[in-house]
Amino acid sequence: MATDGPVLDVVTESLVELYERLGALDDGAVADYIPQLALADPDTFGLSLVSMDGHRYQAGDAEMPFTVQSVSKPFVYALVLSEFGLEEVTRWVGTEPSGEGYNAISLEPDTGRPDNAMINAGAIATTALVPGATCEERFERILDCLSRFAGRGLDVDEAVHRSEAETGDRNRALAYLMSSAGALPGAPSVVDTYFRQCAVRVTTGDLAVMAATLANGGVNPVTGETVVSETVACQVLAVMASCGMYDASGAWLLRVGLPAKSGVSGGLIAVSPARFGVAVHSPPLDASGTPVRGVAALRELSERFGLHMMRHPTRSAPTVTEADRGVRQGLVAAQGALDFTAAERLLHGLSDVTPQDGGWVVLDLLDVTTMDTSGATMVATALARLEEEGHRVAVVVEPRATAGAALTPWRRFPSREEAVDWCENGSAGVGGTGRT
Ligand code: GLU
């Protein structure tokens, strides 16, 4: 159960309710093309959600281990993206949905390049890109990466690995096809590393932490470790959104609206960026290879909590908290996180208070918590414009706040009084490099 007091635990209650109700669904069939997977209990059903504060919620069999299978693909993709960057990785693995099943021969006719990293062919090429002098070294990199995403040391289910290695001719064939076209960045024997990667053992709780790490811009919200950069997390989520659910990706995006990835052992993760990661495990799969109860649970969660990523986002508080206009002076105070939208509001506030000719403008950012690159660029451009037009500009900001760093060209003050004093009297004030 969640770490929070049970009385307020609406999230766990929702998961428990879904567990009890959707547990009755008995459509779908357990995958049996890997013989060992056919032994899975079809009644197993676990749900888990991890928030950006690292709070964990779960219901059902969320602690039961199973093999990660294709849910490993986005995380190994993240590993090679971190290592080589998008341009190089995209030379080997495309970024287009294949519109075909997980094990289809979705290779570009002229180059043999697989369509994307979420299907088997693309995942085998991705695994081949993982650096390492030997298979062991390469696999250690993969296991270490998956473990960092999960926030604990993971291991391999050797029986499932053997079972897939004994029967995985189709994947071997994919590797040989790519190799013959010069499209595999390694030897076809890399397919065994891919089988080991698929046989890494996780719980539903682990998968939720892994998904939450992607939701949190690459920082594991439980351990605090930066596993991959925000850019890589964003790239992985984009490919999950368009390709993560194989040939059912379009319908999934429409109805659930969250980047996701499923696997043949019944695991399913979905990511609500900046909100949480969620995972469901239930072995019976539908015709497109997706876990029946997982799809039902995610559809309901998305609807109930309004999570569709195309929904109109709500803003909790106004950006501009104060706007005063005098004959010779203007003042604007802002609060919260300054992203594009907040900065756009702030700029409106600034132009509303700016005096006609000359005079001064004070921008009070003491209550601004963060400023992203687009917000900082917009504010910096606006301040430069005000100066060009002959206004004296002062910024009020905590001396150590990161929000102020982008605004170093302007006179910065730790309090509004000092900023106003400098504007009116030209006195030195405290801090800031000053342009005037
Ligand atoms: N190990 C499985 C395979 O390559 C993974 C497929 C999946 O989970 O969708 O066939």
Side-chain angles (χ1 to χ4, degrees), residues 360-362 383 386-387 391-395 410-411 422-423:
W360 49 266
V361 179
V362 168
L383 295 185
L386 289 178
E387 265 193 355
H391 305 287
R392 191 172 249 232
V393 176
V395 180
W410 287 277
R411 198 83 195 190
W422 175 75
C423 288

Side-chain angles (χ1 to χ4, degrees), residues 193-401:
T193 308
Y194 166 73
F195 292 153
R196 276 185 85 70
Q197 161 192 325
C198 289
V200 168
R201 210 175 346 216
V202 290
T203 64
T204 313
D206 291 330
L207 286 188
V209 177
M210 295 169 84
T213 302
L214 288 178
N216 198 31
V219 178
N220 184 315
V222 176
T223 64
E225 183 184 354
T226 301
V227 184
V228 292
S229 69
E230 196 180 348
T231 304
V232 165
C234 173
Q235 290 164 343
V236 171
L237 289 177
V239 174
M240 284 169 70
S242 58
C243 313
M245 302 301 277
Y246 306 129
D247 45 340
S249 294
W252 174 272
L253 192 58
L254 181 63
R255 289 175 188 279
V256 180
L258 297 174
K261 186 73 203 81
S262 65
V264 280
S265 57
L268 171 64
I269 58 167
V271 175
S272 189
R275 289 160 156 173
F276 61 75
V278 64
V280 184
H281 174 239
S282 163
L285 311 177
D286 64 18
S288 61
T290 14
V292 174
R293 294 192 192 111
V295 173
L298 260 303
R299 271 197 193 184
E300 288 207 23
L301 276 177
S302 172
E303 211 155 285
R304 190 175 308 176
F305 294 123
L307 301 173
H308 199 295
M309 66 183 187
M310 304 301 176
R311 274 176 73 99
H312 168 77
T314 47
R315 294 222 158 233
S316 45
T319 303
V320 174
T321 49
E322 233 182 296
D324 293 322
R325 180 178 183 167
V327 185
R328 299 277 306 147
Q329 77 271 15
L331 178 137
V332 167
Q335 66 176 2
L338 282 194
D339 58 4
F340 169 83
T341 311
E344 188 264 350
R345 289 174 160 177
L346 178 58
L347 265 45
H348 263 283
L350 272 177
S351 33
D352 287 348
V353 302
T354 302
Q356 281 292 6
D357 305 298
W360 49 266
V361 179
V362 168
L363 177 58
D364 183 343
L365 299 179
L366 279 181
D367 291 330
V368 164
T369 48
T370 55
M371 207 186 305
D372 72 7
T373 325
S374 68
T377 309
M378 289 169 73
V379 174
T381 310
L383 295 185
R385 195 71 36 83
L386 289 178
E387 265 193 355
E388 278 161 28
E389 285 168 9
H391 305 287
R392 191 172 249 232
V393 176
V395 180
V396 186
V397 70
E398 281 274 353
R400 276 184 303 278

Side-chain angles (χ1 to χ4, degrees), residues 33-34 69-70 73 102 120 164 171 194 198 246 262-265:
Y33 73 96
I34 299 173
Q69 300 299 334
S70 280
K73 292 170 180 172
Y102 68 97
N120 286 8
E164 182 162 18
N171 283 325
Y194 166 73
C198 289
Y246 306 129
S262 65
V264 280
S265 57

